[in-house]
PDB file of all heavy atoms in Angstrom:
ATOM      1  N   GLU I 770      25.589-130.108-147.388  1.00 93.00           N
ATOM      2  CA  GLU I 770      25.149-130.393-148.770  1.00 93.00           C
ATOM      3  C   GLU I 770      23.695-130.039-148.989  1.00 93.00           C
ATOM      4  O   GLU I 770      23.271-129.558-150.004  1.00 93.00           O
ATOM      5  CB  GLU I 770      25.539-131.827-149.134  1.00 93.00           C
ATOM      6  CG  GLU I 770      26.990-132.085-149.184  1.00 93.00           C
ATOM      7  CD  GLU I 770      27.650-132.308-147.786  1.00 93.00           C
ATOM      8  OE1 GLU I 770      26.861-132.459-146.853  1.00 93.00           O
ATOM      9  OE2 GLU I 770      28.878-132.350-147.708  1.00 93.00           O
ATOM     10  N   MET I 771      22.891-130.564-148.058  1.00 93.00           N
ATOM     11  CA  MET I 771      21.405-130.283-148.180  1.00 93.00           C
ATOM     12  C   MET I 771      21.079-128.791-148.128  1.00 93.00           C
ATOM     13  O   MET I 771      20.283-128.285-148.897  1.00 93.00           O
ATOM     14  CB  MET I 771      20.725-131.051-146.965  1.00 93.00           C
ATOM     15  CG  MET I 771      20.728-132.519-147.045  1.00 93.00           C
ATOM     16  SD  MET I 771      20.081-133.283-145.584  1.00 93.00           S
ATOM     17  CE  MET I 771      18.343-132.944-145.757  1.00 93.00           C
ATOM     18  N   VAL I 772      21.793-128.051-147.325  1.00 95.00           N
ATOM     19  CA  VAL I 772      21.584-126.606-147.200  1.00 95.00           C
ATOM     20  C   VAL I 772      22.046-125.973-148.493  1.00 95.00           C
ATOM     21  O   VAL I 772      21.356-125.020-149.007  1.00 95.00           O
ATOM     22  CB  VAL I 772      22.382-126.048-146.055  1.00 95.00           C
ATOM     23  CG1 VAL I 772      22.315-124.506-146.038  1.00 95.00           C
ATOM     24  CG2 VAL I 772      21.677-126.516-144.686  1.00 95.00           C
ATOM     25  N   ALA I 773      23.175-126.339-149.072  1.00 96.00           N
ATOM     26  CA  ALA I 773      23.588-125.822-150.358  1.00 96.00           C
ATOM     27  C   ALA I 773      22.574-126.059-151.440  1.00 96.00           C
ATOM     28  O   ALA I 773      22.303-125.156-152.216  1.00 96.00           O
ATOM     29  CB  ALA I 773      24.967-126.419-150.769  1.00 96.00           C
ATOM     30  N   ASP I 774      21.979-127.271-151.497  1.00 94.00           N
ATOM     31  CA  ASP I 774      20.971-127.589-152.436  1.00 94.00           C
ATOM     32  C   ASP I 774      19.708-126.669-152.216  1.00 94.00           C
ATOM     33  O   ASP I 774      19.065-126.151-153.119  1.00 94.00           O
ATOM     34  CB  ASP I 774      20.511-129.050-152.450  1.00 94.00           C
ATOM     35  CG  ASP I 774      21.523-129.918-153.179  1.00 94.00           C
ATOM     36  OD1 ASP I 774      22.234-129.434-153.984  1.00 94.00           O
ATOM     37  OD2 ASP I 774      21.553-131.125-152.800  1.00 94.00           O
ATOM     38  N   ARG I 775      19.353-126.453-150.986  1.00 95.00           N
ATOM     39  CA  ARG I 775      18.215-125.604-150.597  1.00 95.00           C
ATOM     40  C   ARG I 775      18.384-124.180-151.139  1.00 95.00           C
ATOM     41  O   ARG I 775      17.580-123.564-151.739  1.00 95.00           O
ATOM     42  CB  ARG I 775      17.945-125.620-149.124  1.00 95.00           C
ATOM     43  CG  ARG I 775      16.716-124.844-148.704  1.00 95.00           C
ATOM     44  CD  ARG I 775      16.493-124.934-147.242  1.00 95.00           C
ATOM     45  NE  ARG I 775      16.373-126.339-146.789  1.00 95.00           N
ATOM     46  CZ  ARG I 775      15.231-127.061-146.819  1.00 95.00           C
ATOM     47  NH1 ARG I 775      14.161-126.455-147.272  1.00 95.00           N
ATOM     48  NH2 ARG I 775      15.276-128.289-146.411  1.00 95.00           N
ATOM     49  N   VAL I 776      19.636-123.641-150.935  1.00 96.00           N
ATOM     50  CA  VAL I 776      19.934-122.312-151.377  1.00 96.00           C
ATOM     51  C   VAL I 776      19.813-122.241-152.877  1.00 96.00           C
ATOM     52  O   VAL I 776      19.226-121.306-153.416  1.00 96.00           O
ATOM     53  CB  VAL I 776      21.347-121.911-150.897  1.00 96.00           C
ATOM     54  CG1 VAL I 776      21.766-120.621-151.555  1.00 96.00           C
ATOM     55  CG2 VAL I 776      21.389-121.717-149.371  1.00 96.00           C
ATOM     56  N   ALA I 777      20.373-123.209-153.572  1.00 96.00           N
ATOM     57  CA  ALA I 777      20.316-123.200-155.024  1.00 96.00           C
ATOM     58  C   ALA I 777      18.923-123.249-155.547  1.00 96.00           C
ATOM     59  O   ALA I 777      18.471-122.547-156.488  1.00 96.00           O
ATOM     60  CB  ALA I 777      21.153-124.334-155.617  1.00 96.00           C
ATOM     61  N   PHE I 778      18.102-124.102-155.013  1.00 96.00           N
ATOM     62  CA  PHE I 778      16.692-124.351-155.499  1.00 96.00           C
ATOM     63  C   PHE I 778      15.844-123.098-155.181  1.00 96.00           C
ATOM     64  O   PHE I 778      15.159-122.636-156.046  1.00 96.00           O
ATOM     65  CB  PHE I 778      16.091-125.568-154.859  1.00 96.00           C
ATOM     66  CG  PHE I 778      14.807-125.934-155.484  1.00 96.00           C
ATOM     67  CD1 PHE I 778      14.808-126.718-156.695  1.00 96.00           C
ATOM     68  CD2 PHE I 778      13.655-125.617-154.915  1.00 96.00           C
ATOM     69  CE1 PHE I 778      13.498-127.108-157.217  1.00 96.00           C
ATOM     70  CE2 PHE I 778      12.406-125.975-155.468  1.00 96.00           C
ATOM     71  CZ  PHE I 778      12.331-126.746-156.661  1.00 96.00           C
ATOM     72  N   LEU I 779      15.916-122.616-153.952  1.00 96.00           N
ATOM     73  CA  LEU I 779      15.062-121.403-153.591  1.00 96.00           C
ATOM     74  C   LEU I 779      15.460-120.177-154.336  1.00 96.00           C
ATOM     75  O   LEU I 779      14.691-119.385-154.768  1.00 96.00           O
ATOM     76  CB  LEU I 779      15.111-121.277-152.091  1.00 96.00           C
ATOM     77  CG  LEU I 779      14.470-122.302-151.262  1.00 96.00           C
ATOM     78  CD1 LEU I 779      14.632-122.012-149.775  1.00 96.00           C
ATOM     79  CD2 LEU I 779      13.055-122.484-151.598  1.00 96.00           C
ATOM     80  N   SER I 780      16.805-120.040-154.568  1.00 95.00           N
ATOM     81  CA  SER I 780      17.326-118.838-155.244  1.00 95.00           C
ATOM     82  C   SER I 780      16.899-118.858-156.710  1.00 95.00           C
ATOM     83  O   SER I 780      16.810-117.726-157.382  1.00 95.00           O
ATOM     84  CB  SER I 780      18.827-118.792-155.151  1.00 95.00           C
ATOM     85  OG  SER I 780      19.314-118.688-153.868  1.00 95.00           O
ATOM     86  N   ALA I 781      16.628-119.993-157.265  1.00 95.00           N
ATOM     87  CA  ALA I 781      16.193-120.088-158.633  1.00 95.00           C
ATOM     88  C   ALA I 781      14.707-119.667-158.881  1.00 95.00           C
ATOM     89  O   ALA I 781      14.214-119.546-159.959  1.00 95.00           O
ATOM     90  CB  ALA I 781      16.400-121.502-159.187  1.00 95.00           C
ATOM     91  N   GLY I 782      14.024-119.504-157.720  1.00 95.00           N
ATOM     92  CA  GLY I 782      12.628-118.953-157.744  1.00 95.00           C
ATOM     93  C   GLY I 782      11.539-120.059-157.978  1.00 95.00           C
ATOM     94  O   GLY I 782      10.355-119.671-158.053  1.00 95.00           O
ATOM     95  N   HIS I 783      11.863-121.291-157.794  1.00 94.00           N
ATOM     96  CA  HIS I 783      10.860-122.344-158.043  1.00 94.00           C
ATOM     97  C   HIS I 783       9.818-122.297-156.970  1.00 94.00           C
ATOM     98  O   HIS I 783       8.674-122.830-157.238  1.00 94.00           O
ATOM     99  CB  HIS I 783      11.545-123.755-158.035  1.00 94.00           C
ATOM    100  CG  HIS I 783      12.664-123.874-159.098  1.00 94.00           C
ATOM    101  ND1 HIS I 783      12.360-123.644-160.444  1.00 94.00           N
ATOM    102  CD2 HIS I 783      13.891-124.147-159.074  1.00 94.00           C
ATOM    103  CE1 HIS I 783      13.473-123.811-161.204  1.00 94.00           C
ATOM    104  NE2 HIS I 783      14.514-124.102-160.322  1.00 94.00           N
ATOM    105  N   TYR I 784      10.107-121.857-155.710  1.00 95.00           N
ATOM    106  CA  TYR I 784       9.163-121.799-154.693  1.00 95.00           C
ATOM    107  C   TYR I 784       8.650-120.389-154.438  1.00 95.00           C
ATOM    108  O   TYR I 784       8.011-120.165-153.341  1.00 95.00           O
ATOM    109  CB  TYR I 784       9.745-122.421-153.362  1.00 95.00           C
ATOM    110  CG  TYR I 784       9.527-123.913-153.248  1.00 95.00           C
ATOM    111  CD1 TYR I 784       9.022-124.707-154.260  1.00 95.00           C
ATOM    112  CD2 TYR I 784       9.853-124.573-152.053  1.00 95.00           C
ATOM    113  CE1 TYR I 784       8.861-126.012-154.179  1.00 95.00           C
ATOM    114  CE2 TYR I 784       9.694-125.942-151.962  1.00 95.00           C
ATOM    115  CZ  TYR I 784       9.221-126.649-152.977  1.00 95.00           C
ATOM    116  OH  TYR I 784       9.043-128.046-152.817  1.00 95.00           O
ATOM    117  N   ASP I 785       8.824-119.533-155.345  1.00 95.00           N
ATOM    118  CA  ASP I 785       8.343-118.174-155.159  1.00 95.00           C
ATOM    119  C   ASP I 785       6.871-118.096-154.917  1.00 95.00           C
ATOM    120  O   ASP I 785       6.405-117.224-154.043  1.00 95.00           O
ATOM    121  CB  ASP I 785       8.731-117.227-156.333  1.00 95.00           C
ATOM    122  CG  ASP I 785      10.212-116.767-156.316  1.00 95.00           C
ATOM    123  OD1 ASP I 785      10.957-117.144-155.370  1.00 95.00           O
ATOM    124  OD2 ASP I 785      10.610-116.182-157.262  1.00 95.00           O
ATOM    125  N   PRO I 786       6.036-118.863-155.581  1.00 96.00           N
ATOM    126  CA  PRO I 786       4.634-118.875-155.241  1.00 96.00           C
ATOM    127  C   PRO I 786       4.354-119.273-153.794  1.00 96.00           C
ATOM    128  O   PRO I 786       3.382-118.679-153.241  1.00 96.00           O
ATOM    129  CB  PRO I 786       4.013-119.891-156.257  1.00 96.00           C
ATOM    130  CG  PRO I 786       4.976-119.839-157.407  1.00 96.00           C
ATOM    131  CD  PRO I 786       6.310-119.765-156.800  1.00 96.00           C
ATOM    132  N   LEU I 787       5.129-120.114-153.232  1.00 96.00           N
ATOM    133  CA  LEU I 787       4.938-120.480-151.875  1.00 96.00           C
ATOM    134  C   LEU I 787       5.241-119.311-150.962  1.00 96.00           C
ATOM    135  O   LEU I 787       4.486-119.044-149.978  1.00 96.00           O
ATOM    136  CB  LEU I 787       5.816-121.696-151.445  1.00 96.00           C
ATOM    137  CG  LEU I 787       5.862-122.123-150.043  1.00 96.00           C
ATOM    138  CD1 LEU I 787       4.390-122.363-149.483  1.00 96.00           C
ATOM    139  CD2 LEU I 787       6.733-123.385-149.839  1.00 96.00           C
ATOM    140  N   THR I 788       6.318-118.594-151.235  1.00 96.00           N
ATOM    141  CA  THR I 788       6.714-117.453-150.491  1.00 96.00           C
ATOM    142  C   THR I 788       5.551-116.423-150.528  1.00 96.00           C
ATOM    143  O   THR I 788       5.176-115.781-149.495  1.00 96.00           O
ATOM    144  CB  THR I 788       7.999-116.850-150.943  1.00 96.00           C
ATOM    145  OG1 THR I 788       9.029-117.799-150.944  1.00 96.00           O
ATOM    146  CG2 THR I 788       8.413-115.692-150.049  1.00 96.00           C
ATOM    147  N   ALA I 789       4.980-116.237-151.689  1.00 95.00           N
ATOM    148  CA  ALA I 789       3.908-115.248-151.822  1.00 95.00           C
ATOM    149  C   ALA I 789       2.664-115.645-151.024  1.00 95.00           C
ATOM    150  O   ALA I 789       2.050-114.776-150.338  1.00 95.00           O
ATOM    151  CB  ALA I 789       3.474-115.097-153.267  1.00 95.00           C
ATOM    152  N   VAL I 790       2.356-116.912-151.032  1.00 95.00           N
ATOM    153  CA  VAL I 790       1.192-117.473-150.245  1.00 95.00           C
ATOM    154  C   VAL I 790       1.458-117.186-148.749  1.00 95.00           C
ATOM    155  O   VAL I 790       0.621-116.790-148.010  1.00 95.00           O
ATOM    156  CB  VAL I 790       0.980-118.949-150.593  1.00 95.00           C
ATOM    157  CG1 VAL I 790       0.077-119.572-149.521  1.00 95.00           C
ATOM    158  CG2 VAL I 790       0.396-119.077-151.929  1.00 95.00           C
ATOM    159  N   LEU I 791       2.656-117.445-148.288  1.00 95.00           N
ATOM    160  CA  LEU I 791       3.036-117.228-146.908  1.00 95.00           C
ATOM    161  C   LEU I 791       2.838-115.785-146.523  1.00 95.00           C
ATOM    162  O   LEU I 791       2.301-115.376-145.479  1.00 95.00           O
ATOM    163  CB  LEU I 791       4.535-117.679-146.609  1.00 95.00           C
ATOM    164  CG  LEU I 791       4.796-119.170-146.337  1.00 95.00           C
ATOM    165  CD1 LEU I 791       6.208-119.392-146.338  1.00 95.00           C
ATOM    166  CD2 LEU I 791       4.167-119.494-145.010  1.00 95.00           C
ATOM    167  N   ARG I 792       3.378-114.900-147.351  1.00 94.00           N
ATOM    168  CA  ARG I 792       3.341-113.518-147.103  1.00 94.00           C
ATOM    169  C   ARG I 792       1.828-113.083-146.909  1.00 94.00           C
ATOM    170  O   ARG I 792       1.576-112.283-145.978  1.00 94.00           O
ATOM    171  CB  ARG I 792       4.044-112.732-148.240  1.00 94.00           C
ATOM    172  CG  ARG I 792       4.023-111.125-148.085  1.00 94.00           C
ATOM    173  CD  ARG I 792       4.527-110.455-149.253  1.00 94.00           C
ATOM    174  NE  ARG I 792       3.766-110.729-150.427  1.00 94.00           N
ATOM    175  CZ  ARG I 792       4.132-111.325-151.547  1.00 94.00           C
ATOM    176  NH1 ARG I 792       5.408-111.733-151.626  1.00 94.00           N
ATOM    177  NH2 ARG I 792       3.352-111.529-152.599  1.00 94.00           N
ATOM    178  N   ASP I 793       1.059-113.493-147.859  1.00 94.00           N
ATOM    179  CA  ASP I 793      -0.410-113.090-147.741  1.00 94.00           C
ATOM    180  C   ASP I 793      -0.995-113.619-146.456  1.00 94.00           C
ATOM    181  O   ASP I 793      -1.772-112.862-145.866  1.00 94.00           O
ATOM    182  CB  ASP I 793      -1.170-113.601-149.001  1.00 94.00           C
ATOM    183  CG  ASP I 793      -0.782-112.962-150.316  1.00 94.00           C
ATOM    184  OD1 ASP I 793      -0.061-111.828-150.217  1.00 94.00           O
ATOM    185  OD2 ASP I 793      -1.031-113.469-151.367  1.00 94.00           O
ATOM    186  N   ALA I 794      -0.654-114.789-146.069  1.00 94.00           N
ATOM    187  CA  ALA I 794      -1.240-115.398-144.876  1.00 94.00           C
ATOM    188  C   ALA I 794      -0.814-114.640-143.598  1.00 94.00           C
ATOM    189  O   ALA I 794      -1.544-114.434-142.611  1.00 94.00           O
ATOM    190  CB  ALA I 794      -0.894-116.873-144.813  1.00 94.00           C
ATOM    191  N   VAL I 795       0.422-114.213-143.613  1.00 94.00           N
ATOM    192  CA  VAL I 795       1.074-113.498-142.499  1.00 94.00           C
ATOM    193  C   VAL I 795       0.358-112.102-142.395  1.00 94.00           C
ATOM    194  O   VAL I 795       0.020-111.598-141.266  1.00 94.00           O
ATOM    195  CB  VAL I 795       2.508-113.394-142.595  1.00 94.00           C
ATOM    196  CG1 VAL I 795       3.073-112.335-141.570  1.00 94.00           C
ATOM    197  CG2 VAL I 795       3.154-114.784-142.419  1.00 94.00           C
ATOM    198  N   LEU I 796       0.144-111.461-143.497  1.00 90.00           N
ATOM    199  CA  LEU I 796      -0.352-110.071-143.536  1.00 90.00           C
ATOM    200  C   LEU I 796      -1.822-110.029-143.244  1.00 90.00           C
ATOM    201  O   LEU I 796      -2.327-108.970-142.912  1.00 90.00           O
ATOM    202  CB  LEU I 796       0.005-109.384-144.871  1.00 90.00           C
ATOM    203  CG  LEU I 796       1.436-109.195-145.152  1.00 90.00           C
ATOM    204  CD1 LEU I 796       1.682-108.557-146.510  1.00 90.00           C
ATOM    205  CD2 LEU I 796       2.101-108.314-144.084  1.00 90.00           C
ATOM    206  N   ASP I 797      -2.519-111.086-143.562  1.00 84.00           N
ATOM    207  CA  ASP I 797      -3.994-111.146-143.515  1.00 84.00           C
ATOM    208  C   ASP I 797      -4.417-111.181-142.033  1.00 84.00           C
ATOM    209  O   ASP I 797      -3.865-111.936-141.251  1.00 84.00           O
ATOM    210  CB  ASP I 797      -4.566-112.246-144.298  1.00 84.00           C
ATOM    211  CG  ASP I 797      -6.053-112.271-144.378  1.00 84.00           C
ATOM    212  OD1 ASP I 797      -6.623-111.153-144.413  1.00 84.00           O
ATOM    213  OD2 ASP I 797      -6.639-113.291-144.411  1.00 84.00           O
ATOM    214  N   GLY I 798      -5.540-110.500-141.709  1.00 67.00           N
ATOM    215  CA  GLY I 798      -6.155-110.731-140.470  1.00 67.00           C
ATOM    216  C   GLY I 798      -5.640-109.855-139.336  1.00 67.00           C
ATOM    217  O   GLY I 798      -4.975-110.367-138.405  1.00 67.00           O
TER     218      GLY I 798
END
Side-chain angles (χ1 to χ4, degrees):
E770 294 77 14
M771 293 171 71
V772 170
D774 280 340
R775 185 177 301 277
V776 170
F778 190 82
L779 295 178
S780 297
H783 301 302
Y784 271 7
D785 283 357
L787 173 56
T788 304
V790 164
L791 275 171
R792 181 185 63 240
D793 291 346
V795 168
L796 295 176
D797 185 33

